[in-house]
Amino acid sequence: MLKLFASTAYGSHHLTPAIRSNPVNSLLFKSLTQLTGWNRSTYELGLRAFSSESDSDTKSSAAIVSTKPCLDDCLTVIALPLPHKPLIPGFYMPIYVKDPEVLAALQESRRQQSPYAGAFLLKDDASSDSSSSSETENILEKLKGKELLNRIHEVGTLAQISSIKGEQVILIGHRRLRITEMVTEDPLTVKVDHLKEKPYDKDDDVIKATYFEVMSTLRDVLSTTSLWRDQVRTYTKACPPRLWHCLRHIGDFNYQKLADFGAGISGANKHQNQGVLEELDVHKRLELTLELVKKEVEINKIQESIAKTVEEKFRGERHRILLKEQLKAIKTELGVETDAKSALSEKFRGRIDPIKDKIPEHVLKVIEEELKKMQLLEASSSEYYVTSNYLDWLTVLPWGNSSDENFDVSRAEKILDEDHYGLSDVKERILEFIAVGRLRGTSQGKIICLSGPPGVGKTSIGRSIARALDRKFFRFSVGGLSDVAEIKGHRRTYIGAMPGKMVQCLKSVGTENPLVLIDEIDKLGVRCHNGDPASAMLELLDPEQNANFLDHYLDVTIDLSKVLFVCTANVIDTIPGPLLDRMEVISLAGYITEEKVQIARDYLEKTAQRDCGINPEQVDVSDAALLFLIEKYCREAGVRNLQKHIEKIFRKIALKLVRKGASLEVPENSDDVTDAEDSKSLAKTDLESPETSAEGPTVLTDELATGDSTERKTEQSLVVAETVEKFMIDESNLADYVGKPVFHAEKIYEQTPVGVVMGLAWTSMGGSTLYIETTSVEEGEGKGGLHITGRLGVVMKESAEIAHTVARRIMLEKEAENQFFAKSKLHLHVPAGATPKDGPSAGSTMITSLLSLAMKKPVRKDLAMTGEVTLTGRILAVGGVKEKTIAAKRSGVKVIIFPEANRRDYDELAENVKERLDVHFVDEYDQIFELAFGYDH
């Protein structure tokens, strides 16, 4: 095969008939094209050097040039740098010459019948390792003269210039050269010596063996490599004979040509190929080539192994899929199993057939349409998934399925009393609601809103109502909810679309008439880009609209009029007006101290004991301890914080029980029989004590009789926990369990000083007392004025200004000669400055504080008041009467002043709240003046 290349230097008549007739289809050239990575266009250009021109009278630029000059006479050549790979003798290579001077010199050489040049590999440098091909070409263009000479290898190849087309030059390698000296710099012309192989013995056994091994390996590579084999099949129709013919001609190569051929077709890098080019020892060159082709063999084996593994993997997967499809077809044919689409349709029809008469007509029509549509869709399409999911929601809803309600008022009252202590007004309203439902036969049409501070039992009351009515209970919180889709559902076109909370509720409970608790409705999110959730709640809660509630996902109206909605809120001020208008508000003001003590005894203490695994006989919490705990630690209106503190007490007691019980465990070591007997006696003695659980002796006797050490250890710990001494919790040791007191007495002054008056305030945590203090800063003519501090809101600041004006008028009426307000700069302060304060109920207290300072007369020490004052002295009604009454009673106040308009609110309070209180109702400030200072008209 190498002879075919070498013969081109002496004319095309030396080519074989196959190559002369159709060189493009030559097997050898096609194979080498694929091995060396050259493209088809450059390959065809190179083949023109091998085409015969003897039958044509005209010659083109692509025709082979005359070869009259002898190769040995080519001692001065133009040096052409090769950036990527050296040119091996017997192979061709296309290069691109962008330098016009070099290109012109090459064309001139061809015209002068000297079509030869020197091809030398460019050396690597630090920048070329990471440079791209285009960057290498740009660097190559800038190299001239000596710089270029220093950058190329001195050993290269004498190359025939086969053709020049534009910037593309086709070179055919012939002999090895070595640069001796430079002749010209631009273009780089050098003198060269022709290198000859070192003499070798053809009959040497080692060389022969190496030669045959290289030849055998090349045949293996050419016959087994799929890439070369596929390319040969592409260009030949009779693959096996032609391929064997190609491989058979390798045996015609001599030693040195076989070494060059193997190196040229290998995928070795340029340094390895340059090493083969520079090697003049034929035996060593054969060894280098053998190493390269052996690497090709190994690479081919790895490639075939990877291909085989991947093929087996996919073949097994395809086989498994085929078997599954066959099994499915067999089951369908036998009627054992239907396809997924039919099974899904049957499931949906199985849901709606028993209740077809209860499903509304418009809903039934949509279900039938969607079932027909699903049969026409492909199971793998996204529309099929959307339709099946839609049908699943439509058919799973409890159409016409309602739970039987229980309107037994006595039973409901018993359940409410079991679950909650106090709250008599709330319980009465719920019983009224149930009684009306019994007379009407249904309890729909009302939206109850339970309003009160945290921890007063709003959510648990909702659960009790559901239990009393025998309705299913569902709770969801709307606190912070800002997306309307959570209420009204998403459109089905969206990815991951879901119905709203009410549809999810109906699916969860399985009935049309559950009790739905909408928690934290006062904390509903504000209007944003996702819509206004408060407006969306209107359709849900309005009894006139929710009979035809439209969920965006279902897109059919559903009847929610049978659902009983109970909402909870801490304050009703933040609930939008249109939404609040649809609710019936039931206020839960909180618990007084006596109620908290009773709740702690009857509910919280028992729950904590059960949760901590403690018997009631082991702990005794005194009433004084509970009272101290409520007054100094848990002053809130609710009992949630009280529950946490009681649980904390019992957890610490549980830890002490376990620690003491661990020291009394019976040892497992047989050597400690005496100690075990002593422990047994000790346990028995403790069990006989009056404070021991009745089940203690039985458990201990059983454990000592058994041989199972693991169970003995576990139950002994329980027994010991039951046999230790009883824990007494009283006011003296309460701090050991819950820490130091959090609150101190709200009554700061035993005797109220001049200018200080106690007021009553309402907060979201319940009622509280607060002092209003006034003092004089400086006096003098024209100094009259008022400065206000204490983080007061706009309303309280205006109340202070009104109070200042009214106090000056009253002072002018009572003591005309008193010029205190005209000459004094006053400072009014409300303590606890870190807490924001605002509300229309402090006017009367501020006036009383200013008058006390002006008259230098203190008010009664057990007096507290509330009420807003107008400029004319009228007292306006206030809110939170129960909370303020509880706060006053907690602070030891005996005399309370309320506006006359709040008399009815006070009369509705429980008797235990009103006892030991002297309450006065006023509608003019003059009445407060008399009660506070004891003046008579």
Side-chain angles (χ1 to χ4, degrees), residues 52 134 400 476 693 722 859:
S52 174
S134 59
F476 73 93
S693 173
E722 294 173 353
V859 298

Side-chain angles (χ1 to χ4, degrees), residues 356-531:
K356 219 168 201 178
D357 54 336
K358 298 181 181 179
I359 301 178
E361 287 295 329
H362 67 283
V363 178
L364 196 60
K365 182 180 178 181
V366 172
I367 292 175
E368 292 293 341
E369 290 176 353
E370 292 295 323
L371 283 171
K372 293 178 182 178
K373 176 183 175 183
M374 190 177 71
Q375 291 299 324
L376 301 176
L377 295 173
E378 289 292 334
S380 58
S381 65
S382 58
E383 184 68 18
Y384 177 83
Y385 170 76
V386 173
T387 303
S388 62
N389 204 27
Y390 179 50
L391 280 169
D392 183 52
W393 279 103
L394 277 178
T395 56
V396 81
L397 292 180
W399 303 107
N401 182 24
S402 300
S403 59
D404 296 331
E405 290 186 280
N406 191 328
F407 294 110
D408 188 347
V409 176
S410 301
R411 175 177 174 273
E413 185 175 8
K414 181 179 179 182
I415 290 175
L416 292 175
D417 288 337
E418 287 177 358
D419 295 344
H420 300 86
Y421 180 82
L423 303 177
S424 57
D425 51 344
V426 178
K427 293 178 182 178
E428 187 70 19
R429 178 63 190 87
I430 294 172
L431 293 176
E432 292 172 2
F433 173 81
I434 296 174
V436 171
R438 179 170 184 173
L439 296 177
R440 291 186 57 196
T442 178
S443 58
Q444 69 239 35
K446 288 294 182 181
I447 314 297
I448 299 175
C449 180
L450 302 174
S451 172
V456 295
K458 299 184 294 296
T459 303
S460 59
I461 287 177
R463 293 182 185 274
S464 299
I465 297 173
R467 191 157 72 93
L469 291 173
D470 278 345
R471 286 197 178 205
K472 298 288 186 179
F473 179 81
F474 185 85
R475 172 192 173 273
F476 73 93
S477 176
V478 295
L481 187 144
S482 60
D483 191 356
V484 173
E486 291 290 327
I487 302 170
K488 300 272 289 180
H490 302 86
R491 300 288 182 185
R492 289 201 308 276
T493 53
Y494 299 150
I495 296 175
M498 288 285 289
K501 282 290 185 183
M502 278 313 304
V503 178
Q504 297 178 36
C505 161
L506 295 179
K507 176 184 177 182
S508 176
V509 299
T511 61
E512 282 187 326
N513 61 339
L515 186 144
V516 177
L517 181 72
I518 304 176
D519 219 353
E520 309 293 349
I521 198 168
D522 58 324
K523 300 175 182 63
L524 201 64
V526 297
R527 180 194 298 267
C528 64
H529 67 281
N530 289 326

Side-chain angles (χ1 to χ4, degrees), residues 660-669 672-688 696 700-701 703-704 712 716-717 719-720 723:
K660 291 187 177 182
S663 63
L664 297 176
E665 288 185 7
V666 179
E668 297 183 44
N669 193 339
D672 298 334
V673 177
T674 305
D675 296 338
E677 292 297 330
D678 294 341
S679 299
K680 178 179 177 180
S681 302
L682 176 61
K684 186 175 181 180
T685 304
D686 290 338
L687 286 168
E688 293 172 353
L700 181 62
T701 305
E703 279 307 308
L704 293 177
R712 183 172 63 251
Q716 276 178 353
S717 298
V719 172
V720 173
T723 57

